[in-house]
Amino acid sequence: SKETNEGNMLRHLINQINQKKIVLGSTSPRRKELLGGLGIKFNVANSDFAEDLDKSNFKLAQDYTVTTARTKAEEIYGRLFRGKENDEVPDLIITADTIVVLNGQILEKPQSRQHAIEMLTSLSGKSHVVYTGVTFLFPHLKGEKGEEYLLRTFYEETSVTFHPLTNEMIESYVDTGAPMDKAGGYGIQGEGGSFVTGINGCYFNVMGFPVHKFCKQFLEIVQKKQFLQ
């Protein structure tokens, strides 16, 4: 992956960071590209969590996405690393979850071609919000209340506005297959980006990984918890 050497908030720490064993709990090519673009070396593990939390239990959409990301991290730790020898256990597990919210309704990945068409039709000509929840799980650091690991979570939000779309535009985009693995049924970094008249907030958050806020939160943890010592 391309390393972005300029303006990287973690560049001064990258050698220390890369002495740690880091796992990205996501098979999303976009997340792999964005984390790798910071110069961070990591292995990939996929979560077996079904992502089936009951949305009605959450008053706020951002709590839903943060809880999903946290549950993914805990599932990976519990299934792959709990009880293993210390040197087999990573120093950090990173997970993320991205959702699209329109008029208070959470849109995740479409379940079918028709579902994708309905999603994009509902987004057409309107503004929606993209939330990404991110979790850091540190297996070798104790939690504040003595838990077996330290957890840190945060979220980022970005407002996205769509141009009014014709049925032809929507159906031909859905037929490329691109919407099927993406929250809200579109990817801003591909052809779906042509639908977007503007965004307010972090572009990479819409791709699925809020790069700036990730770096900011990571630096805070490094300073408070001596993670790199």
Side-chain angles (χ1 to χ4, degrees):
S1 60
K2 303 183 295 294
E3 286 197 14
T4 47
N5 293 303
E6 293 161 25
N8 179 352
M9 291 172 69
L10 301 179
R11 173 58 54 195
H12 62 297
L13 296 171
I14 205 70
N15 292 336
Q16 287 167 275
I17 291 169
N18 284 337
Q19 285 164 18
K20 299 288 186 183
K21 274 205 270 221
I22 296 175
V23 167
L24 173 65
S26 173
T27 53
S28 157
R30 298 163 293 282
R31 291 191 184 120
K32 286 193 270 194
E33 178 194 342
L34 293 173
L35 185 61
L38 293 170
I40 294 175
K41 294 183 169 65
F42 55 90
N43 292 317
V44 170
N46 197 23
S47 166
D48 283 350
F49 172 54
E51 300 187 34
D52 55 0
L53 297 172
D54 183 350
K55 295 180 185 67
S56 64
N57 290 336
F58 297 87
K59 285 200 179 104
L60 300 171
Q62 54 266 44
D63 292 344
Y64 172 81
T65 194
V66 164
T67 304
T68 298
R70 193 191 76 219
T71 310
K72 286 182 187 179
E74 292 177 324
E75 191 281 326
I76 288 169
Y77 173 72
R79 178 169 48 89
L80 298 179
F81 303 115
R82 181 179 277 125
K84 294 279 168 71
E85 295 295 320
N86 247 3
D87 61 354
E88 292 177 54
V89 178
D91 299 293
L92 172 59
I93 299 168
I94 301 163
T95 53
D97 180 66
T98 301
I99 56 171
V100 165
V101 179
L102 177 69
N103 301 330
Q105 188 188 358
I106 294 172
L107 307 179
E108 295 181 284
K109 296 169 188 166
Q111 302 298 309
S112 64
R113 178 180 185 273
Q114 187 53 38
H115 192 209
I117 290 169
E118 286 164 13
M119 272 189 187
L120 289 162
T121 303
S122 71
L123 297 175
S124 170
K126 300 193 192 85
S127 292
H128 61 267
V129 181
V130 177
Y131 291 102
T132 299
V134 179
T135 293
F136 297 96
L137 190 154
F138 298 91
H140 300 297
L141 298 178
K142 285 274 178 273
E144 266 86 9
K145 296 176 182 157
E147 300 93 340
E148 63 175 316
Y149 45 71
L150 178 70
L151 271 178
R152 278 280 179 279
T153 61
F154 71 90
Y155 72 89
E156 184 61 288
E157 65 182 275
T158 306
S159 172
V160 181
T161 304
F162 264 33
H163 185 78
L165 308 175
T166 65
N167 291 341
E168 262 183 333
M169 288 174 190
I170 290 170
E171 290 188 20
S172 58
Y173 177 57
V174 170
D175 287 341
T176 68
M180 302 315 292
D181 67 337
K182 297 173 185 73
Y186 76 95
I188 195 169
Q189 69 286 347
E191 286 181 40
S194 68
F195 302 157
V196 176
T197 62
I199 72 168
N200 186 5
C202 173
Y203 169 84
F204 299 111
N205 186 51
V206 185
M207 272 180 75
F209 197 74
V211 172
H212 170 72
K213 198 158 186 182
F214 169 84
C215 293
K216 189 167 169 256
Q217 296 281 332
F218 190 76
L219 283 172
E220 276 180 30
I221 294 164
V222 163
Q223 283 152 2
K224 280 186 192 154
K225 296 290 175 186
Q226 287 87 46
F227 173 60
L228 297 178
Q229 260 59 30

